[in-house]
Amino acid sequence: IYEGTNGIQAADLVHRKLASDNGRTIGAMIEEIHQFDGHLASSDRLEIVEIRTRLAEALGALTRSTRYVQDCVVTDSDIADAAATPYLDQLATVFGGYQMARMAVIACQSLDTGTDGQDFPRAKLATAYLYAAAFLPRSVAREQEIRGSATLIAAYPSPMI
């Protein structure tokens, strides 16, 4: 049931939500994350620099994947279907990375002011740093998976796969 539910949600994301407004909603979220980069750029903390780098790489991959999947919805729904589940995973990973980056900025502000106990914000910063290092790179790999789906679908007739 779990895998089927993910597939249904992924197909809904690609065929209904992404296609219904020509990607404007997802585009607005991508733009919001781009705008947030200014907050990350103002810090010279090692963790924030790393989070910023990884988030930028992941966001670039998501931006390219979004355009690609949008095109596939119009030109070849089989390819869009094949790309849907990795695209959902990529989208969720990047949006999660954005929330982690926001948390890291707030944690740094708390650490810099020293107004709260240091353990909690330090743990939040470490969690965001771990997410950026361990999970955001998957988004770049997902882009390759999304595009690889097209190669597979084009190379083999539907009954074969």
PDB file of all heavy atoms in Angstrom, residues 4-33:
ATOM      1  N   GLY A   4       2.272   2.114  -3.456  1.00  0.00           N
ATOM      2  CA  GLY A   4       1.174   2.527  -4.319  1.00  0.00           C
ATOM      3  C   GLY A   4       0.686   3.922  -3.983  1.00  0.00           C
ATOM      4  O   GLY A   4       0.402   4.725  -4.877  1.00  0.00           O
ATOM      5  N   THR A   5       0.620   4.218  -2.705  1.00  0.00           N
ATOM      6  CA  THR A   5       0.193   5.551  -2.282  1.00  0.00           C
ATOM      7  C   THR A   5       1.181   6.600  -2.763  1.00  0.00           C
ATOM      8  O   THR A   5       0.778   7.656  -3.257  1.00  0.00           O
ATOM      9  CB  THR A   5       0.048   5.604  -0.746  1.00  0.00           C
ATOM     10  OG1 THR A   5      -0.896   4.611  -0.349  1.00  0.00           O
ATOM     11  CG2 THR A   5      -0.427   6.956  -0.285  1.00  0.00           C
ATOM     12  N   ASN A   6       2.466   6.334  -2.633  1.00  0.00           N
ATOM     13  CA  ASN A   6       3.468   7.284  -3.133  1.00  0.00           C
ATOM     14  C   ASN A   6       3.303   7.502  -4.629  1.00  0.00           C
ATOM     15  O   ASN A   6       3.396   8.625  -5.115  1.00  0.00           O
ATOM     16  CB  ASN A   6       4.879   6.780  -2.850  1.00  0.00           C
ATOM     17  CG  ASN A   6       5.282   6.985  -1.410  1.00  0.00           C
ATOM     18  OD1 ASN A   6       4.581   7.611  -0.632  1.00  0.00           O
ATOM     19  ND2 ASN A   6       6.416   6.431  -1.051  1.00  0.00           N
ATOM     20  N   GLY A   7       3.074   6.416  -5.365  1.00  0.00           N
ATOM     21  CA  GLY A   7       2.897   6.528  -6.808  1.00  0.00           C
ATOM     22  C   GLY A   7       1.671   7.344  -7.170  1.00  0.00           C
ATOM     23  O   GLY A   7       1.707   8.154  -8.103  1.00  0.00           O
ATOM     24  N   ILE A   8       0.596   7.139  -6.439  1.00  0.00           N
ATOM     25  CA  ILE A   8      -0.632   7.902  -6.694  1.00  0.00           C
ATOM     26  C   ILE A   8      -0.405   9.377  -6.397  1.00  0.00           C
ATOM     27  O   ILE A   8      -0.804  10.254  -7.176  1.00  0.00           O
ATOM     28  CB  ILE A   8      -1.805   7.333  -5.858  1.00  0.00           C
ATOM     29  CG1 ILE A   8      -2.198   5.955  -6.389  1.00  0.00           C
ATOM     30  CG2 ILE A   8      -3.001   8.283  -5.874  1.00  0.00           C
ATOM     31  CD1 ILE A   8      -3.093   5.171  -5.456  1.00  0.00           C
ATOM     32  N   GLN A   9       0.235   9.665  -5.284  1.00  0.00           N
ATOM     33  CA  GLN A   9       0.523  11.058  -4.933  1.00  0.00           C
ATOM     34  C   GLN A   9       1.460  11.697  -5.952  1.00  0.00           C
ATOM     35  O   GLN A   9       1.313  12.862  -6.311  1.00  0.00           O
ATOM     36  CB  GLN A   9       1.129  11.154  -3.529  1.00  0.00           C
ATOM     37  CG  GLN A   9       0.173  10.762  -2.431  1.00  0.00           C
ATOM     38  CD  GLN A   9      -1.069  11.624  -2.401  1.00  0.00           C
ATOM     39  OE1 GLN A   9      -1.004  12.839  -2.555  1.00  0.00           O
ATOM     40  NE2 GLN A   9      -2.207  11.001  -2.212  1.00  0.00           N
ATOM     41  N   ALA A  10       2.439  10.932  -6.413  1.00  0.00           N
ATOM     42  CA  ALA A  10       3.388  11.449  -7.404  1.00  0.00           C
ATOM     43  C   ALA A  10       2.680  11.753  -8.725  1.00  0.00           C
ATOM     44  O   ALA A  10       2.907  12.801  -9.331  1.00  0.00           O
ATOM     45  CB  ALA A  10       4.518  10.443  -7.617  1.00  0.00           C
ATOM     46  N   ALA A  11       1.813  10.841  -9.167  1.00  0.00           N
ATOM     47  CA  ALA A  11       1.066  11.069 -10.410  1.00  0.00           C
ATOM     48  C   ALA A  11       0.154  12.279 -10.269  1.00  0.00           C
ATOM     49  O   ALA A  11       0.027  13.087 -11.199  1.00  0.00           O
ATOM     50  CB  ALA A  11       0.265   9.823 -10.770  1.00  0.00           C
ATOM     51  N   ASP A  12      -0.463  12.430  -9.106  1.00  0.00           N
ATOM     52  CA  ASP A  12      -1.326  13.591  -8.861  1.00  0.00           C
ATOM     53  C   ASP A  12      -0.508  14.879  -8.907  1.00  0.00           C
ATOM     54  O   ASP A  12      -0.926  15.869  -9.505  1.00  0.00           O
ATOM     55  CB  ASP A  12      -2.024  13.448  -7.504  1.00  0.00           C
ATOM     56  CG  ASP A  12      -2.940  14.611  -7.208  1.00  0.00           C
ATOM     57  OD1 ASP A  12      -3.939  14.783  -7.941  1.00  0.00           O
ATOM     58  OD2 ASP A  12      -2.657  15.361  -6.243  1.00  0.00           O
ATOM     59  N   LEU A  13       0.663  14.857  -8.302  1.00  0.00           N
ATOM     60  CA  LEU A  13       1.539  16.032  -8.320  1.00  0.00           C
ATOM     61  C   LEU A  13       1.885  16.433  -9.751  1.00  0.00           C
ATOM     62  O   LEU A  13       1.757  17.595 -10.129  1.00  0.00           O
ATOM     63  CB  LEU A  13       2.824  15.748  -7.538  1.00  0.00           C
ATOM     64  CG  LEU A  13       3.935  16.797  -7.652  1.00  0.00           C
ATOM     65  CD1 LEU A  13       3.518  18.104  -6.998  1.00  0.00           C
ATOM     66  CD2 LEU A  13       5.227  16.274  -7.044  1.00  0.00           C
ATOM     67  N   VAL A  14       2.288  15.473 -10.541  1.00  0.00           N
ATOM     68  CA  VAL A  14       2.760  15.765 -11.899  1.00  0.00           C
ATOM     69  C   VAL A  14       1.616  16.088 -12.851  1.00  0.00           C
ATOM     70  O   VAL A  14       1.651  17.088 -13.557  1.00  0.00           O
ATOM     71  CB  VAL A  14       3.610  14.577 -12.418  1.00  0.00           C
ATOM     72  CG1 VAL A  14       3.844  14.678 -13.908  1.00  0.00           C
ATOM     73  CG2 VAL A  14       4.935  14.519 -11.664  1.00  0.00           C
ATOM     74  N   HIS A  15       0.596  15.235 -12.869  1.00  0.00           N
ATOM     75  CA  HIS A  15      -0.454  15.377 -13.884  1.00  0.00           C
ATOM     76  C   HIS A  15      -1.539  16.382 -13.520  1.00  0.00           C
ATOM     77  O   HIS A  15      -2.183  16.931 -14.406  1.00  0.00           O
ATOM     78  CB  HIS A  15      -1.089  14.023 -14.185  1.00  0.00           C
ATOM     79  CG  HIS A  15      -0.167  13.114 -14.928  1.00  0.00           C
ATOM     80  ND1 HIS A  15       0.170  13.304 -16.246  1.00  0.00           N
ATOM     81  CD2 HIS A  15       0.527  12.022 -14.517  1.00  0.00           C
ATOM     82  CE1 HIS A  15       1.006  12.355 -16.626  1.00  0.00           C
ATOM     83  NE2 HIS A  15       1.249  11.573 -15.596  1.00  0.00           N
ATOM     84  N   ARG A  16      -1.757  16.578 -12.238  1.00  0.00           N
ATOM     85  CA  ARG A  16      -2.823  17.501 -11.874  1.00  0.00           C
ATOM     86  C   ARG A  16      -2.272  18.819 -11.336  1.00  0.00           C
ATOM     87  O   ARG A  16      -2.551  19.884 -11.862  1.00  0.00           O
ATOM     88  CB  ARG A  16      -3.758  16.860 -10.843  1.00  0.00           C
ATOM     89  CG  ARG A  16      -5.047  17.637 -10.641  1.00  0.00           C
ATOM     90  CD  ARG A  16      -6.047  16.877  -9.778  1.00  0.00           C
ATOM     91  NE  ARG A  16      -5.595  16.672  -8.423  1.00  0.00           N
ATOM     92  CZ  ARG A  16      -5.748  17.554  -7.431  1.00  0.00           C
ATOM     93  NH1 ARG A  16      -6.327  18.699  -7.657  1.00  0.00           N
ATOM     94  NH2 ARG A  16      -5.315  17.273  -6.226  1.00  0.00           N
ATOM     95  N   LYS A  17      -1.439  18.741 -10.306  1.00  0.00           N
ATOM     96  CA  LYS A  17      -0.991  19.972  -9.648  1.00  0.00           C
ATOM     97  C   LYS A  17       0.027  20.742 -10.480  1.00  0.00           C
ATOM     98  O   LYS A  17      -0.106  21.947 -10.653  1.00  0.00           O
ATOM     99  CB  LYS A  17      -0.449  19.650  -8.265  1.00  0.00           C
ATOM    100  CG  LYS A  17      -1.553  19.157  -7.350  1.00  0.00           C
ATOM    101  CD  LYS A  17      -1.064  18.824  -5.982  1.00  0.00           C
ATOM    102  CE  LYS A  17      -2.241  18.372  -5.137  1.00  0.00           C
ATOM    103  NZ  LYS A  17      -1.919  17.260  -4.296  1.00  0.00           N
ATOM    104  N   LEU A  18       1.033  20.066 -10.989  1.00  0.00           N
ATOM    105  CA  LEU A  18       2.046  20.745 -11.793  1.00  0.00           C
ATOM    106  C   LEU A  18       1.444  21.235 -13.108  1.00  0.00           C
ATOM    107  O   LEU A  18       1.701  22.350 -13.546  1.00  0.00           O
ATOM    108  CB  LEU A  18       3.227  19.812 -12.057  1.00  0.00           C
ATOM    109  CG  LEU A  18       4.428  20.396 -12.784  1.00  0.00           C
ATOM    110  CD1 LEU A  18       5.066  21.516 -11.979  1.00  0.00           C
ATOM    111  CD2 LEU A  18       5.456  19.307 -13.064  1.00  0.00           C
ATOM    112  N   ALA A  19       0.600  20.403 -13.710  1.00  0.00           N
ATOM    113  CA  ALA A  19       0.027  20.751 -15.013  1.00  0.00           C
ATOM    114  C   ALA A  19      -1.097  21.781 -14.909  1.00  0.00           C
ATOM    115  O   ALA A  19      -1.282  22.596 -15.813  1.00  0.00           O
ATOM    116  CB  ALA A  19      -0.492  19.491 -15.702  1.00  0.00           C
ATOM    117  N   SER A  20      -1.839  21.770 -13.804  1.00  0.00           N
ATOM    118  CA  SER A  20      -3.042  22.618 -13.722  1.00  0.00           C
ATOM    119  C   SER A  20      -2.737  24.109 -13.745  1.00  0.00           C
ATOM    120  O   SER A  20      -3.498  24.887 -14.305  1.00  0.00           O
ATOM    121  CB  SER A  20      -3.862  22.277 -12.479  1.00  0.00           C
ATOM    122  OG  SER A  20      -3.185  22.699 -11.306  1.00  0.00           O
ATOM    123  N   ASP A  21      -1.642  24.510 -13.152  1.00  0.00           N
ATOM    124  CA  ASP A  21      -1.322  25.948 -13.154  1.00  0.00           C
ATOM    125  C   ASP A  21      -0.012  26.228 -13.890  1.00  0.00           C
ATOM    126  O   ASP A  21       0.633  27.239 -13.658  1.00  0.00           O
ATOM    127  CB  ASP A  21      -1.308  26.513 -11.733  1.00  0.00           C
ATOM    128  CG  ASP A  21      -0.147  26.033 -10.881  1.00  0.00           C
ATOM    129  OD1 ASP A  21       0.602  25.137 -11.319  1.00  0.00           O
ATOM    130  OD2 ASP A  21       0.021  26.561  -9.773  1.00  0.00           O
ATOM    131  N   ASN A  22       0.357  25.292 -14.751  1.00  0.00           N
ATOM    132  CA  ASN A  22       1.579  25.423 -15.545  1.00  0.00           C
ATOM    133  C   ASN A  22       2.815  25.618 -14.661  1.00  0.00           C
ATOM    134  O   ASN A  22       3.740  26.336 -15.025  1.00  0.00           O
ATOM    135  CB  ASN A  22       1.437  26.553 -16.576  1.00  0.00           C
ATOM    136  CG  ASN A  22       2.436  26.426 -17.702  1.00  0.00           C
ATOM    137  OD1 ASN A  22       2.918  25.333 -17.993  1.00  0.00           O
ATOM    138  ND2 ASN A  22       2.759  27.538 -18.328  1.00  0.00           N
ATOM    139  N   GLY A  23       2.794  24.992 -13.497  1.00  0.00           N
ATOM    140  CA  GLY A  23       3.948  25.019 -12.615  1.00  0.00           C
ATOM    141  C   GLY A  23       4.131  26.281 -11.804  1.00  0.00           C
ATOM    142  O   GLY A  23       5.160  26.454 -11.141  1.00  0.00           O
ATOM    143  N   ARG A  24       3.141  27.172 -11.806  1.00  0.00           N
ATOM    144  CA  ARG A  24       3.320  28.450 -11.101  1.00  0.00           C
ATOM    145  C   ARG A  24       3.468  28.277  -9.590  1.00  0.00           C
ATOM    146  O   ARG A  24       4.274  28.979  -8.975  1.00  0.00           O
ATOM    147  CB  ARG A  24       2.168  29.401 -11.425  1.00  0.00           C
ATOM    148  CG  ARG A  24       2.286  30.029 -12.811  1.00  0.00           C
ATOM    149  CD  ARG A  24       1.257  31.135 -13.026  1.00  0.00           C
ATOM    150  NE  ARG A  24      -0.120  30.687 -12.889  1.00  0.00           N
ATOM    151  CZ  ARG A  24      -0.832  30.109 -13.865  1.00  0.00           C
ATOM    152  NH1 ARG A  24      -0.288  29.916 -15.052  1.00  0.00           N
ATOM    153  NH2 ARG A  24      -2.077  29.738 -13.660  1.00  0.00           N
ATOM    154  N   THR A  25       2.716  27.380  -8.993  1.00  0.00           N
ATOM    155  CA  THR A  25       2.802  27.200  -7.537  1.00  0.00           C
ATOM    156  C   THR A  25       4.176  26.676  -7.139  1.00  0.00           C
ATOM    157  O   THR A  25       4.821  27.214  -6.230  1.00  0.00           O
ATOM    158  CB  THR A  25       1.699  26.258  -7.045  1.00  0.00           C
ATOM    159  OG1 THR A  25       0.433  26.812  -7.406  1.00  0.00           O
ATOM    160  CG2 THR A  25       1.770  26.070  -5.542  1.00  0.00           C
ATOM    161  N   ILE A  26       4.626  25.644  -7.825  1.00  0.00           N
ATOM    162  CA  ILE A  26       5.957  25.110  -7.525  1.00  0.00           C
ATOM    163  C   ILE A  26       7.020  26.144  -7.886  1.00  0.00           C
ATOM    164  O   ILE A  26       8.001  26.322  -7.158  1.00  0.00           O
ATOM    165  CB  ILE A  26       6.180  23.764  -8.231  1.00  0.00           C
ATOM    166  CG1 ILE A  26       5.251  22.724  -7.594  1.00  0.00           C
ATOM    167  CG2 ILE A  26       7.638  23.330  -8.158  1.00  0.00           C
ATOM    168  CD1 ILE A  26       5.237  21.389  -8.264  1.00  0.00           C
ATOM    169  N   GLY A  27       6.820  26.853  -8.978  1.00  0.00           N
ATOM    170  CA  GLY A  27       7.746  27.919  -9.365  1.00  0.00           C
ATOM    171  C   GLY A  27       7.852  29.002  -8.303  1.00  0.00           C
ATOM    172  O   GLY A  27       8.942  29.519  -8.036  1.00  0.00           O
ATOM    173  N   ALA A  28       6.723  29.317  -7.676  1.00  0.00           N
ATOM    174  CA  ALA A  28       6.733  30.325  -6.605  1.00  0.00           C
ATOM    175  C   ALA A  28       7.522  29.826  -5.397  1.00  0.00           C
ATOM    176  O   ALA A  28       8.257  30.594  -4.764  1.00  0.00           O
ATOM    177  CB  ALA A  28       5.306  30.684  -6.200  1.00  0.00           C
ATOM    178  N   MET A  29       7.401  28.545  -5.081  1.00  0.00           N
ATOM    179  CA  MET A  29       8.177  27.991  -3.967  1.00  0.00           C
ATOM    180  C   MET A  29       9.673  27.991  -4.302  1.00  0.00           C
ATOM    181  O   MET A  29      10.504  28.305  -3.455  1.00  0.00           O
ATOM    182  CB  MET A  29       7.717  26.569  -3.638  1.00  0.00           C
ATOM    183  CG  MET A  29       6.464  26.507  -2.802  1.00  0.00           C
ATOM    184  SD  MET A  29       6.637  27.316  -1.190  1.00  0.00           S
ATOM    185  CE  MET A  29       7.975  26.424  -0.438  1.00  0.00           C
ATOM    186  N   ILE A  30      10.000  27.638  -5.539  1.00  0.00           N
ATOM    187  CA  ILE A  30      11.401  27.658  -5.956  1.00  0.00           C
ATOM    188  C   ILE A  30      11.950  29.075  -5.846  1.00  0.00           C
ATOM    189  O   ILE A  30      13.063  29.289  -5.353  1.00  0.00           O
ATOM    190  CB  ILE A  30      11.548  27.081  -7.383  1.00  0.00           C
ATOM    191  CG1 ILE A  30      11.319  25.568  -7.352  1.00  0.00           C
ATOM    192  CG2 ILE A  30      12.907  27.431  -7.977  1.00  0.00           C
ATOM    193  CD1 ILE A  30      11.224  24.911  -8.712  1.00  0.00           C
ATOM    194  N   GLU A  31      11.164  30.051  -6.267  1.00  0.00           N
ATOM    195  CA  GLU A  31      11.597  31.456  -6.179  1.00  0.00           C
ATOM    196  C   GLU A  31      11.764  31.883  -4.715  1.00  0.00           C
ATOM    197  O   GLU A  31      12.713  32.607  -4.383  1.00  0.00           O
ATOM    198  CB  GLU A  31      10.605  32.370  -6.894  1.00  0.00           C
ATOM    199  CG  GLU A  31      10.985  33.834  -6.864  1.00  0.00           C
ATOM    200  CD  GLU A  31      12.361  34.134  -7.455  1.00  0.00           C
ATOM    201  OE1 GLU A  31      12.817  33.427  -8.375  1.00  0.00           O
ATOM    202  OE2 GLU A  31      13.006  35.087  -6.967  1.00  0.00           O
ATOM    203  N   GLU A  32      10.872  31.429  -3.848  1.00  0.00           N
ATOM    204  CA  GLU A  32      10.993  31.749  -2.416  1.00  0.00           C
ATOM    205  C   GLU A  32      12.316  31.224  -1.857  1.00  0.00           C
ATOM    206  O   GLU A  32      12.992  31.910  -1.083  1.00  0.00           O
ATOM    207  CB  GLU A  32       9.818  31.141  -1.649  1.00  0.00           C
ATOM    208  CG  GLU A  32       9.817  31.458  -0.175  1.00  0.00           C
ATOM    209  CD  GLU A  32       8.599  30.892   0.553  1.00  0.00           C
ATOM    210  OE1 GLU A  32       7.479  30.958   0.006  1.00  0.00           O
ATOM    211  OE2 GLU A  32       8.778  30.398   1.679  1.00  0.00           O
ATOM    212  N   ILE A  33      12.685  30.035  -2.265  1.00  0.00           N
ATOM    213  CA  ILE A  33      13.950  29.465  -1.793  1.00  0.00           C
ATOM    214  C   ILE A  33      15.129  30.256  -2.357  1.00  0.00           C
ATOM    215  O   ILE A  33      16.100  30.525  -1.641  1.00  0.00           O
ATOM    216  CB  ILE A  33      14.039  27.966  -2.146  1.00  0.00           C
ATOM    217  CG1 ILE A  33      12.911  27.191  -1.452  1.00  0.00           C
ATOM    218  CG2 ILE A  33      15.397  27.393  -1.751  1.00  0.00           C
ATOM    219  CD1 ILE A  33      12.739  25.760  -1.938  1.00  0.00           C
TER     220      ILE A  33
END
